[in-house]
Structure formats: structure tokens, C-alpha cells
Amino acid sequence: MVDWTPSRRRPGLVRRGFAALRRTTSGVVWLAAIAALVWLAGVSPSAAGMTGIVDAAQSSVTAPVSGRVAAILVALHQEVEQGQVIARLDDSDVRLRLTQATYELERLRADLVREAADREQQSVAVVAEHGLDAGVEQRRLVSAVEAAQLAALSTRTQLEEARVRVQGAAVEAERLEPLVQQGMVAEPDLVHMRTERDALQKRISELETLHREHLAHIELATQRLREFKPAGPAVLSVDTALEPMRWRLKQQQAALERIAEDTKLLTLQAPIRGRIARISVEAGEWAAAGRSLVAIVDATPRRILAYVPDAVRGQIGASAKVRVTRADASELGTAAVETISPSVVRVPERLWRDPRQEEWAYELVVAATGMERPGERVQLSLLR
């Protein structure tokens, strides 16, 4: 049977147990407090230790046109010079287009020569035919002038003959008139002669009018002959007729020049001097236009980018100096703070404490010391 009666010594044991418990609890609390301080020191931002990334100029070589990558002529981390050939795209399609365009150009040239010969022959035939027509028209006008001149000459001859006859009839009438008065010639003979004289005078008047009309005809026909100027043949000149074909020839030449420019695009060159940081394709792989093939990073660092929260941002002035060290504590030198962003920006993922949690902070731009390697992480500490 167990005796539950408290002994005289049991209260002392209880007091000693509580004292030991208090001592143990105090030690745990102190240890927890120290651990919390250590943790806070590790996660709380401080101007004495800031992480940064060395930034350098970067450039990407992209595919200017869609095509298959024929060759990659550089290796990862290889140093390249500006203008060095980085890669080549397959030129099978361009060569086929060039061959087709060349054949088309030669065909157009042959068609142009043949068309020029045909047009020249046609022009000669038309001009010859037109020359014959013009000659016929000119001869007709000349004949009209000659006919009018012959008609005028004939009328003039008749007129002169009538004048001669009227003069003879007048002389004969004057000779018969005294003879009739003397009774030596009968009266009807004198009347007949006077009638013939009057008829000839009337004929002279008619011939004079007709002669004036013939002279007018001669003048009109002569004027028409003087004004006659054969017009050009109703046919296009050879140059005008060939102009459309010449424009097609120029268009084909422009197509050849475009193909030549496309050929130049198949050779990809380094836009800057630096080191190959990334190769995104392999030889034989298809690359769409605009796709990044190779990334180049300048071997010379430009600046250091650090990201600080608001609590630290207030401790750093625009003219502050910082000490730059590597992760292994090797010192790289001191540098000046160039700028501080006016507002928070997104922190690069590689600097996140938790890769699942996005972070934002003020961006601190620090001049590079020249000893850094592009892309490496460095530690910055503010110089007091």
C-alpha cells in the first residue's frame, strides 16, 4: 500500500525543482532570442552588405529571315570580335530564286531583242508604204497644177486666136463698108462680116473670163502643192513600243538586287566585341525570322546593379562610395554610386531570397571597378 502522506522533506524538493525549471527556461529563452537576432541579422537589409550583379553590354544575333541554320561557327564562351561571322543560314532557297530570276532576265532580254527587230521591220514597211502614199498625193497635186496650167494655156491660145480673128473681121468690115456705099459689094456681105466680128468679140469676153478662172485654179493648185507636207506614219516608234518591255526588264533587275540583298542576310555577324553567352540553335535546325540564335556579352563590365529596400535606401546618398568584393571576400576595389532609382523596380530573379516570392526594391547603379566579370554576383558595403 502506497503512503500518500506528504513527508517533511517533499516541499524542499518541489522548490528545488521549480528553481531548476526557471533556470532551464531562461536558457532556452536566451538561446531563442540569440537565434532570432542572428536570423534577423541575416535577413534584414543593411548598407554594410548588399548583393549586386555585374552588368555588361549584351547583344543578340537574330535570324533576319526564316531559314535553316547551315552552320554555327562559334562555341559557348568563345571570345569574338565585332563583324566576325557567327553563323550562316542555308542558301538553297535563295540560290533557286536567283537561278529562276536569272533565267527570267535572260528571257526578257531575248524577247526585247526580237521585239525590237520586229518593230524595226514593221516601221520600215509602214514608212515605205506611207512614202508611196505621200508620193501619189504629191504627184496628184502636181498634176492638178499642170492641168490647170494646160487649161489656162489652151484658153489663152483660143483667146489670142479669137482676138486675131476679131481684128481681121473688123478690118474686113471697115474695108467692105465703103464698097457697099459705092454699090460694089452687096449689103448682106457687110452685115455678115459685122455679125462675125460681134460674135468673136463676145467669144473673146468669154475666153477672158475663162482664162481668169484657169489662172485662179493654177494659183489654188500651186498653193496646195506648196502647203503639202507628208505627215508621219500612223505607227508607234520603236522606242515607244519597247518601253513596257524595258520596264519589265528593270523590274526583273530589281528582283535580282533584292535576292542579292537576301543573300547577304544569310551571313550573320557579331554586332559587338564580347564573349558568347548563349547559343540557342544547332546546325540543321529551322529558325523563324526574328528568333534569337546567339547571345553575346561584352567582356568589359559597364556597371554594378544592386537592389536595396526603403530602409537602406535612406542611408545611401547619390555621391556615396562602396567597397566591392567577391563572394570569396576577395576585394575588387571601391566605386561610386552613380544613380538611385526614384521608385522601386522588380529585382532580378537570381537575387530573390525565395525563388517563389517576387521582390521589389530600389535599384542602385554603381560604377564598375574594371576587375569584375560580367554576370557575377558581388557584395557591396557602404564606406562611412
Side-chain angles (χ1 to χ4, degrees):
M1 184 173 179
V2 180
D3 184 11
W4 289 100
T5 305
S7 65
R8 296 178 178 178
R9 298 178 62 184
R10 190 165 297 171
L13 292 173
V14 172
R15 287 194 296 272
R16 287 196 297 271
F18 277 113
L21 180 61
R22 284 197 298 271
R23 288 195 298 270
T24 303
T25 303
S26 300
V28 172
V29 171
W30 279 106
L31 289 175
I34 292 171
L37 290 175
V38 171
W39 180 82
L40 289 174
V43 299
S44 298
S46 172
M50 299 175 287
T51 303
I53 297 179
V54 180
D55 184 37
Q58 299 186 15
S59 181
S60 180
V61 179
T62 60
V65 293
S66 297
R68 193 171 304 280
V69 179
I72 298 293
L73 306 178
V74 293
L76 192 64
H77 305 308
Q78 177 183 340
E79 292 187 359
V80 295
E81 298 293 332
Q82 183 177 4
Q84 181 177 338
V85 177
I86 299 297
R88 297 186 189 276
L89 299 180
D90 183 43
D91 61 350
S92 301
D93 180 67
V94 173
R95 284 190 286 107
L96 178 60
R97 289 165 50 204
L98 181 61
T99 301
Q100 293 175 342
T102 303
Y103 287 159
E104 181 66 17
L105 181 62
E106 294 301 325
R107 186 187 68 80
L108 285 174
R109 285 176 176 170
D111 291 345
L112 183 63
V113 173
R114 185 180 66 254
E115 185 70 16
D118 293 343
R119 290 287 182 175
E120 188 68 30
Q121 184 177 3
Q122 181 182 0
S123 178
V124 170
V126 171
V127 169
E129 182 180 356
H130 178 73
L132 291 176
D133 295 340
V136 171
E137 178 64 18
Q138 187 173 16
R139 284 194 297 273
R140 188 187 68 79
L141 293 176
V142 171
S143 297
V145 174
E146 293 175 349
Q149 291 174 345
L150 289 175
L153 181 59
S154 175
T155 302
R156 180 64 180 274
T157 302
Q158 295 177 20
L159 178 59
E160 294 301 328
E161 182 182 359
R163 285 175 178 172
V164 171
R165 290 179 60 188
V166 76
Q167 184 177 2
V171 171
E172 186 64 21
E174 291 177 354
R175 187 184 67 81
L176 292 178
E177 186 174 353
L179 294 177
V180 171
Q181 292 176 358
Q182 294 175 7
M184 298 176 61
V185 178
E187 182 71 21
D189 293 336
L190 179 59
V191 173
H192 174 73
M193 189 57 60
R194 288 178 177 174
T195 303
E196 184 178 356
R197 183 193 61 188
D198 294 341
L200 288 172
Q201 288 178 344
K202 184 178 179 181
R203 175 63 177 166
I204 289 173
S205 299
E206 293 175 355
L207 290 174
E208 288 177 347
T209 302
L210 183 60
H211 186 259
R212 286 193 295 271
E213 292 178 359
H214 286 321
L215 292 178
H217 291 165
I218 292 173
E219 181 64 25
L220 181 60
T222 303
Q223 183 178 357
R224 288 177 178 175
L225 181 61
R226 285 195 305 266
E227 295 176 353
F228 175 69
K229 293 180 180 178
V235 63
L236 290 175
S237 65
V238 176
D239 289 339
T240 304
L242 295 180
E243 194 63 25
M245 294 194 67
R246 289 196 179 101
W247 276 109
R248 287 198 295 271
L249 189 62
K250 292 178 181 178
Q251 185 178 10
Q252 192 62 25
Q253 290 173 343
L256 280 173
E257 292 178 1
R258 285 195 299 270
I259 294 175
E261 292 298 325
D262 291 344
T263 303
K264 296 179 182 178
L265 297 177
L266 300 180
T267 301
L268 309 181
Q269 299 177 342
I272 62 172
R273 178 182 178 275
R275 188 183 301 273
I276 302 299
R278 186 186 72 255
I279 299 178
S280 305
V281 295
E282 296 180 356
E285 186 177 346
W286 178 267
R291 178 182 175 182
S292 176
L293 307 182
V294 178
I296 303 174
V297 177
D298 190 352
T300 303
R302 295 189 307 168
R303 57 185 182 175
I304 301 172
L305 301 179
Y307 299 88
V308 296
D310 184 62
V312 177
R313 189 255 180 269
Q315 304 175 29
I316 304 173
S319 59
K321 297 283 187 177
V322 296
R323 178 180 290 107
V324 183
T325 57
R326 286 200 173 99
D328 59 1
S330 59
E331 188 167 339
L332 299 177
T334 60
V337 175
E338 294 183 346
T339 60
I340 302 175
S341 63
S343 58
V344 294
V345 298
R346 187 175 184 269
V347 178
E349 293 184 16
R350 59 183 298 190
L351 295 182
W352 293 357
R353 288 188 294 271
D354 183 353
R356 298 168 299 178
Q357 182 63 40
E358 184 179 59
E359 296 184 15
W360 292 75
Y362 289 91
E363 184 179 68
L364 197 69
V365 178
V366 179
T369 65
M371 302 295 294
E372 302 89 348
R373 291 188 294 266
E376 73 171 331
R377 295 179 62 167
V378 293
Q379 294 296 321
L380 307 178
S381 57
L382 186 64
L383 296 177
R384 298 298 180 178

